[in-house]
Amino acid sequence: DAGVIQSPRHEVTEMGQEVTLRCKPISGHDYLFWYRQTMMRGLELLIYFNNNVPIDDSGMPEDRFSAKMPNASFSTLKIQPSEPRDSAVYFCASSGGPIINEQFFGPGTRLTVL
Amino acid sequence: RKEVEQDPGPFNVPEGATVAFNCTYSNSASQSFFWYRQDCRKEPKLLMSVYSSGNEDGRFTAQLNRASQYISLLIRDSKLSDSATYLCVVNMRTGGFKTIFGAGTRLFVKA
């Protein structure tokens, strides 16, 4: 079975550009999570969806970040405009349940904003 | 105080050694607990869930102490392949749902 799929795997962009990260969760999972990982702050939950509905976006750093989940098999995380401090690895994860279930992570997108 | 705290290490141990990590959490509403493993430049992967009764999986043993609000991971007979960062994860219901990852403990196992 395919795991969580993320694209692109690497993204290098210039400050001010729009960046869109993509995620395909594991089929049948009804929870989807977006995380950001940096050396300074570790792994931070940005937002999570349940049945395609955003439930908690309190981790989204600012209005430049937005996330959507138009259907059960696709989600995007958009940064507009991007800034150098957004450079990080962004992980998408999916789960069959929020509390007691394992979260399966995608391989991540390594974003560098110059 | 951070909601989930781990000793960042690094722990440098020889092959065959026993090593233990602790993780403390501050919110007593925490409901489920996990240990994840993350290799360099890879995604986190579940190592094991942590139950109140304790659980064991081969060389790995996890314990939960709700009274003292900490979880532990014990690795026996460590292998070179155990070298990684170990992340503790705490899930809690606080109105909604919240998942918090610890910063991780780095382990190096040397020949």
Side-chain angles (χ1 to χ4, degrees), chain A residues 2-43:
Chain A
V4 176
I5 299 172
Q6 290 188 248
S7 65
R9 296 291 306 275
H10 301 273
E11 176 80 30
V12 180
T13 190
E14 293 188 345
M15 182 174 64
Q17 297 298 305
E18 177 179 298
V19 175
T20 299
L21 312 181
R22 297 172 176 80
C23 176
K24 177 179 169 55
I26 293 172
S27 177
H29 282 184
D30 52 4
Y31 283 84
L32 184 139
F33 307 83
W34 281 102
Y35 291 88
R36 177 173 69 176
Q37 187 173 38
T38 61
M39 288 292 292
M40 290 296 295
R41 300 175 67 88
L43 198 61

Side-chain angles (χ1 to χ4, degrees), chain A residues 35 37 48 98-99 102-103 106, chain B residues 32 36 38 43 46 91 97:
Chain A
Y35 291 88
Q37 187 173 38
Y48 79 94
I99 291 291
E102 172 185 1
Q103 292 185 29
Chain B
S32 61
Y36 278 68
Q38 186 172 24
E43 71 273 21
L46 180 70
N91 290 334
F97 156 74

